[in-house]
Amino acid sequence: MKKYTIGIDVGGTKIAYGLFDEALNLLDKRVTKTNQASKPEEMLDDMSNVCKELLKSNGLTMEEVKGVGAGFPCHIDYENGYVITGSNLPTWKNVPVRQLFSERLGTRVEIDNDANVAALAEQKFGAGIGNKNMIYITVSTGIGGGIIINDAIFRGDYGAAGEIGHMIVSDFGYTCSCGNVGCLMASASGPKMIQYVLDQMKHGETSTIMDYVGEDEELSGKHIGIAAKDGDKLAQKAIERLGDGIGIMFVNLYQIFNIKHYVLGGSVSKLGKPLYERMNLKFAEFIRFAADYPIEIVPAKLGDDVGIVGAATLID
Amino acid sequence: MKKYTIGIDVGGTKIAYGLFDEALNLLDKRVTKTNQASKPEEMLDDMSNVCKELLKSNGLTMEEVKGVGAGFPCHIDYENGYVITGSNLPTWKNVPVRQLFSERLGTRVEIDNDANVAALAEQKFGAGIGNKNMIYITVSTGIGGGIIINDAIFRGDYGAAGEIGHMIVSDFGYTCSCGNVGCLMASASGPKMIQYVLDQMKHGETSTIMDYVGEDEELSGKHIGIAAKDGDKLAQKAIERLGDGIGIMFVNLYQIFNIKHYVLGGSVSKLGKPLYERMNLKFAEFIRFAADYPIEIVPAKLGDDVGIVGAATLID
């Protein structure tokens, strides 16, 4: 009787809900806006209401649901079901989400970090099928990681492993959203690539990049990608800098884990070939025996649904 | 009948051999010098002879030996039993040690990285007993790591996981023995602490450190430790710098693994309280929720025998 699952992908700007059958086929979907200012209890009320509506409009009741899985862009205490902190949900600190959400829904709830959830999805249904060991990395506003060891997410002792973006790779550099100086994601991320381009133009570097930006748009990674393809030197340099940063990330992951398979997701990874070439070059520069013991970095496959699919797999 | 084990600890300056009974009690021991210039085949000939002599003088034969385990200060392909590279054994490149050594000895051979071997020993018999997840780190000439996940050494896909000392933490700084710039062990290690002190004195900083060095001695970490205890400012600063580096290492390990338990070995860790205080301070500065989710860094317990004990545990 209990055979359906709901997977929720809580993002910094929107929340996606997927209704899945037993074989994890996606039956229906909802997307709402994230109100970053709302208190955890309020947001969980709203999320609970969306779940109930989603079921009702598919002629289902909560009694037919095995459970609800949710991925958060936060440090998570998986074992106890807490959101510890998260820069995209600034009011959420040590929130017992599993308990609060489960009370509202009247069903089993599991929560995890969004990168863990995406790693699970890519390893079960996407670009990482068959990889016993694998690291999923998402590069967009920040950098998150999900580590799969022996076919299971490795969460560490407190449930918050995989905070790859906060490893210190530099002794100066930009300050991270976490407050630290030198975090990987404080230099290698979409916003920092954009900031670099704007800074260079402010200091007099000429570039065609702004010609690609529509009147009601802001400069984004997409524009930089197109300008680079058309030969804009500043755009190319910005992608190279980002590629160097992500290349160093792979150097560190490889030195520590010696894992072969990596899946790269997130909006920044859509920069494609120029980014991949540069990061592979940087990797080969630092890991000189990589020819004999190569790594394989492949783009994520599941696209925008990765978060809801992965969240649904939290309920087994 | 086959109930004895030999554990070998191959170091950059000496090689230690331990003969163990079934309960892994140490029965007898040999120590020889490492000839870094000798070819792998020659060194394995010599090592094989020491093993045979060790057995003979204890009234034993190779038929009574379950196997010989050996830890090398090298990148190891554990699955295939190869030494890939090692800066302390410069002529060893892609050497099929397990096969070559096993042919010479006429018994089973297992090899692993020395830090993995030490991690196993500390987790089974030393400071890490009972830790399902644990990272052992040795800081001396360089930095090595052994990662224990779910009660087993995690070796990655190619058998060389745990090269913690070669993670990039700096965008400038000293060049590492591996040739890369920015490796953790290129700034946080015994030799670099000594180099810092010598450099500062050369640039005019006054210090009492050299008063602690005997006529036929060279400046070592031990002298810096004693001078610091007696109030020498430069010695204190040198230890603080090292503590900062090792603190950053723990920040990165914690962000990535979220593991609670760490065992710190190697000669540098003998600097004791001032080093531990400083690295814990650095850690708390970067990991602001550490009070709720603390780490425990404890000194290694097994001392000089850690390498031979761990190597023996490779034979189960």
Side-chain angles (χ1 to χ4, degrees):
Chain A
M1 186 173 162
K2 285 184 186 297
K3 57 181 187 176
Y4 297 94
T5 311
I6 294 176
I8 307 179
D9 177 16
V10 182
T13 55
K14 61 187 183 188
I15 305 177
Y17 304 72
L19 175 65
F20 295 87
D21 67 12
E22 242 171 335
L24 278 182
N25 294 306
L26 180 60
L27 303 177
D28 201 0
K29 210 173 149 178
R30 295 288 179 276
V31 178
T32 64
K33 276 195 179 171
T34 308
N35 183 356
Q36 288 197 8
S38 71
K39 286 184 191 147
E41 287 81 0
E42 292 165 11
M43 200 191 280
L44 292 172
D45 283 339
D46 293 345
M47 286 167 60
S48 167
N49 290 333
V50 176
C51 289
K52 285 169 185 166
E53 182 280 317
L54 179 60
L55 288 174
K56 201 175 166 194
S57 70
N58 283 275
L60 298 170
T61 65
M62 202 55 83
E63 278 66 44
E64 292 166 280
V65 170
K66 279 197 291 183
V68 175
F72 287 83
C74 300
H75 256 82
I76 300 287
D77 176 347
Y78 174 78
E79 208 63 49
N80 298 304
Y82 274 62
V83 166
I84 305 172
T85 60
S87 48
N88 285 320
L89 296 176
T91 66
W92 294 52
K93 293 218 186 298
N94 288 315
V95 184
V97 170
R98 189 169 64 200
Q99 182 205 325
L100 294 174
F101 201 26
S102 179
E103 283 168 6
R104 281 160 174 77
L105 290 167
T107 189
R108 179 187 165 201
V109 168
E110 295 292 345
I111 67 166
D112 205 344
N113 170 269
D114 53 358
N116 282 354
V117 152
L120 273 175
E122 289 290 345
Q123 198 242 9
K124 285 195 178 171
F125 306 103
I129 292 176
N131 299 335
K132 198 184 71 165
N133 299 320
M134 186 192 105
I135 302 180
Y136 170 87
I137 305 110
T138 171
V139 184
S140 55
T141 313
I143 294 180
I147 300 163
I148 291 177
I149 287 179
N150 289 326
D151 273 320
I153 285 283
F154 178 72
R155 295 187 176 87
D157 290 321
Y158 299 123
E163 290 291 342
I164 289 167
H166 292 294
M167 70 174 150
I168 305 299
V169 294
S170 166
D171 23 27
F172 59 91
Y174 296 108
T175 299
C176 184
S177 59
C178 76
N180 288 339
V181 170
C183 287
L184 173 68
M185 63 185 255
S187 60
S189 70
K192 294 300 176 186
M193 177 176 64
I194 292 165
Q195 187 179 331
Y196 169 75
V197 163
L198 295 173
D199 284 353
Q200 294 306 107
M201 290 194 297
K202 205 189 289 173
H203 290 95
E205 194 147 343
T206 56
S207 163
T208 62
I209 290 178
M210 293 314 288
D211 302 346
Y212 296 84
V213 183
E215 259 186 36
D216 49 357
E217 284 183 314
E218 286 195 359
L219 175 62
S220 77
K222 192 184 67 185
H223 305 121
I224 297 174
I226 302 172
K229 210 169 281 176
D230 288 351
D232 185 90
K233 295 279 178 251
L234 178 58
Q236 289 170 349
K237 209 157 49 175
I239 294 172
E240 284 169 12
R241 278 170 54 95
L242 182 63
D244 285 346
I246 301 177
I248 289 295
M249 173 189 78
F250 282 115
V251 169
N252 285 5
L253 292 178
Y254 186 82
Q255 294 284 23
I256 293 169
F257 288 98
N258 204 234
I259 281 178
K260 181 176 182 183
H261 296 283
Y262 302 85
V263 175
L264 190 58
S267 57
V268 167
S269 68
K270 291 178 187 158
L271 289 167
K273 206 177 158 193
L275 180 77
Y276 275 74
E277 281 183 354
R278 184 71 179 201
M279 73 197 192
N280 281 316
L281 205 68
K282 196 75 183 175
F283 183 83
E285 182 192 330
F286 276 72
I287 308 288
R288 280 170 290 275
F289 46 87
D292 294 326
Y293 299 90
I295 64 168
E296 281 177 18
I297 308 167
V298 298
K301 254 190 186 168
L302 297 179
D304 290 343
D305 286 341
V306 67
I308 54 174
V309 172
T313 66
L314 291 175
I315 309 295
D316 46 21
Chain B
M1 186 173 163
K2 284 184 186 299
K3 56 181 189 176
Y4 297 93
T5 310
I6 295 176
I8 308 178
D9 177 15
V10 182
T13 53
K14 61 187 183 187
I15 305 177
Y17 305 72
L19 174 65
F20 295 87
D21 67 13
E22 242 170 336
L24 277 182
N25 294 306
L26 181 59
L27 304 178
D28 200 0
K29 210 172 149 178
R30 295 287 179 279
V31 178
T32 63
K33 275 195 180 172
T34 308
N35 182 357
Q36 289 198 7
S38 71
K39 285 186 192 145
E41 287 81 359
E42 292 165 11
M43 201 190 283
L44 291 173
D45 282 340
D46 294 344
M47 286 166 61
S48 167
N49 290 335
V50 176
C51 288
K52 286 169 184 167
E53 182 280 317
L54 178 60
L55 288 174
K56 199 175 168 194
S57 70
N58 283 275
L60 297 170
T61 66
M62 203 55 84
E63 279 66 44
E64 292 166 279
V65 171
K66 279 197 290 183
V68 175
F72 287 83
C74 299
H75 256 83
I76 299 287
D77 176 347
Y78 173 77
E79 208 63 48
N80 298 304
Y82 274 64
V83 166
I84 304 172
T85 60
S87 48
N88 284 320
L89 296 174
T91 66
W92 294 52
K93 292 215 188 299
N94 289 316
V95 183
V97 170
R98 189 168 64 201
Q99 184 205 323
L100 293 175
F101 201 27
S102 178
E103 284 168 7
R104 280 161 175 77
L105 289 167
T107 189
R108 178 184 166 204
V109 169
E110 296 292 344
I111 67 165
D112 205 344
N113 170 270
D114 54 358
N116 282 354
V117 151
L120 273 175
E122 288 289 344
Q123 198 242 10
K124 287 197 178 170
F125 306 103
I129 292 175
N131 299 335
K132 198 183 68 166
N133 299 320
M134 186 193 106
I135 302 180
Y136 169 87
I137 305 111
T138 171
V139 184
S140 55
T141 314
I143 294 180
I147 301 163
I148 290 176
I149 287 179
N150 289 326
D151 274 322
I153 284 283
F154 179 72
R155 296 188 176 87
D157 290 321
Y158 299 123
E163 290 291 341
I164 288 166
H166 292 293
M167 70 175 151
I168 305 297
V169 295
S170 167
D171 22 26
F172 59 91
Y174 296 109
T175 299
C176 183
S177 59
C178 77
N180 288 339
V181 170
C183 288
L184 172 69
M185 64 186 254
S187 61
S189 70
K192 294 301 177 185
M193 177 176 66
I194 292 165
Q195 188 178 333
Y196 169 76
V197 163
L198 294 174
D199 284 352
Q200 294 305 106
M201 290 195 296
K202 206 189 289 175
H203 289 94
E205 194 148 344
T206 55
S207 163
T208 62
I209 290 177
M210 293 314 287
D211 302 346
Y212 296 83
V213 183
E215 256 184 43
D216 48 358
E217 283 184 314
E218 286 197 359
L219 175 62
S220 77
K222 191 185 68 184
H223 305 120
I224 297 174
I226 302 172
K229 210 169 282 174
D230 288 351
D232 185 88
K233 294 279 177 248
L234 179 59
Q236 288 169 350
K237 209 156 49 175
I239 293 173
E240 283 168 13
R241 278 170 54 95
L242 181 64
D244 285 346
I246 300 177
I248 289 295
M249 174 189 77
F250 282 114
V251 168
N252 285 5
L253 293 177
Y254 186 82
Q255 294 284 22
I256 292 170
F257 288 98
N258 204 231
I259 281 178
K260 181 176 182 185
H261 296 284
Y262 302 85
V263 175
L264 191 58
S267 57
V268 166
S269 69
K270 291 180 187 156
L271 289 167
K273 206 175 160 196
L275 180 77
Y276 275 74
E277 279 184 354
R278 183 69 179 203
M279 73 195 189
N280 281 315
L281 205 68
K282 195 74 182 175
F283 183 83
E285 181 193 330
F286 276 72
I287 307 288
R288 281 170 289 274
F289 45 85
D292 294 327
Y293 299 90
I295 64 168
E296 280 177 17
I297 307 167
V298 298
K301 254 188 184 170
L302 297 179
D304 290 343
D305 285 341
V306 68
I308 54 174
V309 172
T313 67
L314 291 175
I315 309 294
D316 45 20

